[in-house]
């Protein structure tokens, strides 16, 4: 089994610094429950311009509808597919990065992805897809 990196992904780290964690937002909301409603931007609306999904939901919905068995796709299902895809890409990229670092490189190459797919059982379904 391959070892994974303990360092966080930079983009997620910067988002957390700008907006605070989900627990901080909930805590701020809970503190404000006894007080009158705020007219200005609250802790949640301060980060409203940040998207919950980094992938384009309209494109994912269009891809889902290319399946003849899918006639309708709810926004919730599209969001869940997008989030799962993000997490999958992040996981395989981190595992491939281990192989790039073993080769003393900072850039992922195809051979790093191939090595991650071959070494990690969770990616066995991907074997032969990059050929």
């Amino acid at each position: 089994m391959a070892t994974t990196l303990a360092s966080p992904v930079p983009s997620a780290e910067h988002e957390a610094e700008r907006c605070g964690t989900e627990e901080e937002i909930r805590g701020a909301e809970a503190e404000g429950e006894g007080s009158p409603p705020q007219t200005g931007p609250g802790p949640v609306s301060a980060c409203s311009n940040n998207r919950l999904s980094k992938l384009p939901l309209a494109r994912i919905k269009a891809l889902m509808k290319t399946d003849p068995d899918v006639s309708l796709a709810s926004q919730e299902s599209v969001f869940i597919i997008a989030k799962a895809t993000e997490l999958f890409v992040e996981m395989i990229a981190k595992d491939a990065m281990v192989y790039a670092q073993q080769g003393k490189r900072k850039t992922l190459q195809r051979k790093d992805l191939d090595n991650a797919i071959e070494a990690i059982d969770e990616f066995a379904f991907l074997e032969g897809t990059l050929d």
Side-chain angles (χ1 to χ4, degrees):
M1 178 170 221
T3 58
T4 58
L5 297 176
S7 63
V9 176
S11 63
E13 181 180 315
H14 294 298
E15 287 177 7
E17 289 174 359
R18 282 196 322 243
C19 299
T21 63
E22 189 173 329
E23 291 82 16
E24 290 172 348
I25 292 171
R26 286 185 187 153
E29 288 174 347
E31 290 174 3
E33 286 179 3
S35 61
Q38 297 176 349
T39 56
V44 174
S45 62
C47 296
S48 63
N49 61 352
N50 288 340
R51 296 179 359 184
L52 295 174
S53 174
K54 293 179 176 84
L55 297 175
L57 298 179
R59 175 136 334 148
I60 291 174
K61 187 171 188 174
L63 286 170
M64 290 172 65
K65 285 190 169 188
T66 60
D67 185 352
D69 295 335
V70 177
S71 58
L72 294 173
S74 69
Q75 283 300 100
E76 292 85 9
S77 65
V78 173
F79 175 74
I80 294 298
I81 295 293
K83 206 62 178 164
T85 303
E86 288 175 22
L87 293 173
F88 172 76
V89 169
E90 182 180 343
M91 185 171 66
I92 196 168
K94 282 182 179 180
D95 290 337
M97 189 63 186
V98 171
Y99 292 100
Q101 289 177 338
Q102 287 175 355
K104 308 235 186 300
R105 291 178 282 110
K106 293 182 180 180
T107 305
L108 286 181
Q109 296 178 355
R110 181 181 169 153
K111 63 183 176 182
D112 301 321
L113 287 171
D114 288 335
N115 289 336
I117 289 170
E118 289 176 15
I120 300 171
D121 294 336
E122 294 171 352
F123 301 138
F125 71 98
L126 292 173
E127 288 181 3
T129 57
L130 294 179
D131 294 335

